[in-house]
Amino acid sequence: MKILLNNATERDIQHRLKVEQIYVQYPQLKEIENDLYQTLTRLTRGLIGWPNPESQSQLTEQLEVLRKRRRMYLEQVGLPDNYNVPQARCSICHDMEVVEGVNGWELCSCVRKRQQEYRFAGAKIPAKMREQTFENFSLNYYSSTEMVDDRDSQYQKAQKALKGAEEFTDHIIRQHPTKGLYFFGGAGVGKTHLVSGIANRLMEHDITPLYLMVADLLDEMRKGYDSTEADQHATALMEQAKETPVLILDDIGAERATEWSIEKLFQIINHRYLNQLPLVMTSNYDLDDLAHHMGTGATGIRICSRIVETCRIFRLDCDDIRRQKRREG
């Protein structure tokens, strides 16, 4: 309810600003509206018995003159008669936010849509990712003849990764224990599409994951050194990453590896490991290369050890899908 009230307040503020801008452009219109308001106020007071030296008929005549003057002026400047009435955003409920259905009153679809938008914002899922689902993850971009290793072709690897993502999501929805996921491979091979599919399927079942680009997460935490407010935000984000029902860390290894950044990542991954909280990761690196990227320190090795123990590991390989799509279209 608080979200809906905030939304209505914001709408009213925007409308008042719009009307004020009109009055700046047409000051005469504001004078007419003020005269109308004052005349209506005097007429109302007379009707409810307040002392009023003016007769009701006199005030009614003044009111008609002012209304006619208002109509003529609005026609002259090309404004609609209802310029100062907030325009309903929803054609179904006219911003009442409820509609009467077969079984009584219920929330309008516009409210559910806004609630979904707030949930996506809270999950930090970008708009582009909301278009990427399991259903539109195409295996056609993976070769069935190009072998990735001694056992599987590109197509077979992608097929296994898709199945693993769907199985993971199904287990989360059914509240069954499950291992996390680690997808690795070069740029443009479909890793982010798979984690988008996971996030969108979970959202459909009212489970809100948290999606974080690792480099952005670390940047937010670094800003915590700049001010008390930034530090509070960084601390809250760190706690959210530790405790969220499902955490998706995208592009681990793309960040600049420092002792501080590796330690922060370890704190998150280790907390989720100890508390058996699901974790999904993507990276350009296999685990050996990721350990090398993080340096020779023990913390980077411990991160990779946690990933091996808690995640199913899937490799994706193909020509950059974005380039393939450009060639197609």
Coordinates of all heavy atoms in Angstrom, one line a residue, residues 182 184 253 283-297 300-301 303-305 307-308 313 315:
Y182 N 27.7 -22.7 -11.8 CA 28.8 -21.9 -12.3 C 28.9 -22.0 -13.8 O 29.2 -23.1 -14.3 CB 30.1 -22.3 -11.6 CG 31.3 -21.4 -12.0 CD1 31.6 -20.3 -11.3 CD2 32.2 -21.8 -13.0 CE1 32.7 -19.5 -11.6 CE2 33.3 -21.1 -13.3 CZ 33.5 -19.9 -12.6 OH 34.6 -19.2 -13.0
F184 N 30.7 -20.9 -17.3 CA 31.8 -20.2 -17.8 C 32.0 -20.4 -19.3 O 31.5 -21.3 -19.9 CB 33.1 -20.6 -17.0 CG 33.6 -21.9 -17.4 CD1 34.6 -22.0 -18.4 CD2 33.2 -23.1 -16.8 CE1 35.2 -23.3 -18.7 CE2 33.7 -24.3 -17.1 CZ 34.7 -24.4 -18.1
G253 N 35.4 -12.3 -11.9 CA 36.7 -12.3 -12.6 C 37.0 -11.1 -13.5 O 38.1 -10.8 -13.9
S283 N 31.2 -16.5 -15.5 CA 32.6 -16.0 -15.6 C 33.1 -16.3 -17.0 O 32.7 -17.3 -17.6 CB 33.5 -16.7 -14.5 OG 34.8 -16.2 -14.6
N284 N 34.1 -15.5 -17.4 CA 34.8 -15.9 -18.6 C 35.9 -16.9 -18.3 O 36.5 -17.5 -19.2 CB 35.5 -14.6 -19.2 CG 34.5 -13.7 -19.8 OD1 33.3 -14.0 -19.9 ND2 35.0 -12.6 -20.3
Y285 N 36.1 -17.2 -17.0 CA 37.2 -18.1 -16.6 C 36.7 -19.5 -16.2 O 35.7 -19.6 -15.5 CB 38.0 -17.5 -15.5 CG 38.7 -16.2 -15.8 CD1 38.2 -15.0 -15.2 CD2 39.9 -16.1 -16.5 CE1 38.8 -13.8 -15.5 CE2 40.5 -14.9 -16.8 CZ 40.0 -13.7 -16.3 OH 40.6 -12.6 -16.5
D286 N 37.5 -20.5 -16.5 CA 37.3 -21.8 -15.8 C 37.9 -21.6 -14.4 O 38.6 -20.6 -14.1 CB 37.9 -23.0 -16.6 CG 39.4 -22.9 -16.7 OD1 40.1 -22.2 -15.9 OD2 39.9 -23.6 -17.6
L287 N 37.8 -22.6 -13.6 CA 38.2 -22.4 -12.2 C 39.7 -22.2 -12.0 O 40.2 -21.5 -11.1 CB 37.6 -23.5 -11.3 CG 36.1 -23.4 -11.1 CD1 35.6 -24.6 -10.3 CD2 35.7 -22.1 -10.4
D288 N 40.4 -23.0 -12.8 CA 41.9 -22.8 -12.8 C 42.3 -21.4 -13.1 O 43.2 -20.8 -12.4 CB 42.6 -23.8 -13.7 CG 42.5 -25.3 -13.2 OD1 42.3 -25.4 -11.9 OD2 42.6 -26.2 -14.0
D289 N 41.7 -20.9 -14.2 CA 42.1 -19.5 -14.7 C 41.6 -18.5 -13.7 O 42.2 -17.5 -13.5 CB 41.5 -19.3 -16.0 CG 42.2 -20.0 -17.1 OD1 43.4 -20.4 -16.9 OD2 41.6 -20.2 -18.2
L290 N 40.4 -18.8 -13.0 CA 39.9 -17.8 -12.1 C 40.8 -17.7 -10.8 O 41.1 -16.6 -10.3 CB 38.5 -18.3 -11.6 CG 37.8 -17.3 -10.6 CD1 37.5 -16.0 -11.2 CD2 36.5 -18.0 -10.1
A291 N 41.3 -18.9 -10.4 CA 42.3 -18.9 -9.3 C 43.5 -18.1 -9.6 O 44.1 -17.4 -8.8 CB 42.6 -20.3 -8.9
H292 N 44.0 -18.3 -10.9 CA 45.2 -17.6 -11.3 C 44.9 -16.1 -11.4 O 45.8 -15.3 -11.0 CB 45.6 -18.1 -12.7 CG 46.8 -17.4 -13.3 ND1 48.1 -17.7 -12.8 CD2 46.9 -16.5 -14.3 CE1 48.9 -16.9 -13.5 NE2 48.3 -16.2 -14.4
H293 N 43.7 -15.7 -11.9 CA 43.3 -14.3 -12.0 C 43.3 -13.7 -10.6 O 43.7 -12.5 -10.4 CB 41.9 -14.2 -12.6 CG 41.3 -12.8 -12.5 ND1 41.7 -11.7 -13.2 CD2 40.4 -12.3 -11.6 CE1 41.0 -10.7 -12.9 NE2 40.2 -11.0 -11.9
M294 N 42.9 -14.4 -9.6 CA 42.8 -13.9 -8.2 C 44.2 -13.9 -7.5 O 44.3 -13.4 -6.4 CB 41.8 -14.7 -7.4 CG 40.4 -14.4 -7.9 SD 39.2 -15.3 -6.9 CE 37.7 -14.6 -7.6
G295 N 45.2 -14.4 -8.1 CA 46.5 -14.3 -7.6 C 46.9 -15.6 -6.8 O 46.2 -16.5 -6.7
T296 N 48.0 -15.5 -6.1 CA 48.6 -16.7 -5.4 C 48.1 -16.8 -4.0 O 48.5 -17.7 -3.3 CB 50.1 -16.6 -5.5 OG1 50.6 -15.4 -4.9 CG2 50.6 -16.8 -6.9
G297 N 47.4 -15.8 -3.5 CA 46.9 -15.8 -2.1 C 45.9 -16.9 -1.8 O 45.3 -17.4 -2.7
G300 N 41.8 -16.5 -2.8 CA 41.3 -16.8 -4.1 C 41.1 -18.3 -4.3 O 40.2 -18.8 -4.9
I301 N 42.1 -19.1 -3.8 CA 42.0 -20.5 -3.8 C 40.8 -21.0 -3.0 O 40.1 -21.9 -3.5 CB 43.3 -21.1 -3.3 CG1 44.5 -20.8 -4.2 CG2 43.2 -22.6 -3.2 CD1 45.9 -21.1 -3.7
I303 N 38.0 -19.4 -2.5 CA 36.8 -19.1 -3.3 C 36.5 -20.2 -4.3 O 35.4 -20.7 -4.4 CB 37.0 -17.7 -4.0 CG1 36.8 -16.6 -3.0 CG2 35.9 -17.6 -5.1 CD1 37.1 -15.2 -3.6
C304 N 37.6 -20.6 -5.1 CA 37.4 -21.6 -6.1 C 37.1 -22.9 -5.4 O 36.3 -23.7 -6.0 CB 38.7 -21.7 -6.9 SG 39.0 -20.2 -7.9
S305 N 37.6 -23.2 -4.3 CA 37.3 -24.4 -3.5 C 35.8 -24.5 -3.2 O 35.1 -25.5 -3.3 CB 38.2 -24.6 -2.3 OG 37.8 -25.7 -1.5
I307 N 33.4 -22.9 -4.7 CA 32.6 -23.1 -5.9 C 32.6 -24.5 -6.3 O 31.5 -25.1 -6.7 CB 33.2 -22.2 -7.1 CG1 33.1 -20.7 -6.7 CG2 32.5 -22.5 -8.4 CD1 33.8 -19.8 -7.7
V308 N 33.7 -25.2 -6.3 CA 33.8 -26.6 -6.6 C 32.8 -27.5 -5.7 O 32.1 -28.3 -6.2 CB 35.2 -27.2 -6.5 CG1 35.2 -28.7 -6.6 CG2 36.1 -26.6 -7.6
I313 N 29.1 -27.2 -12.5 CA 29.9 -26.4 -13.4 C 29.6 -26.7 -14.8 O 29.6 -27.9 -15.2 CB 31.4 -26.5 -13.1 CG1 31.7 -26.1 -11.6 CG2 32.2 -25.7 -14.0 CD1 33.0 -26.5 -11.1
R315 N 30.1 -25.5 -19.0 CA 30.9 -24.7 -19.9 C 30.0 -24.4 -21.1 O 29.3 -25.3 -21.6 CB 32.2 -25.4 -20.3 CG 33.0 -24.6 -21.4 CD 34.3 -25.4 -21.7 NE 35.0 -24.7 -22.8 CZ 36.2 -25.2 -23.3 NH1 36.7 -26.3 -22.8 NH2 36.8 -24.5 -24.2

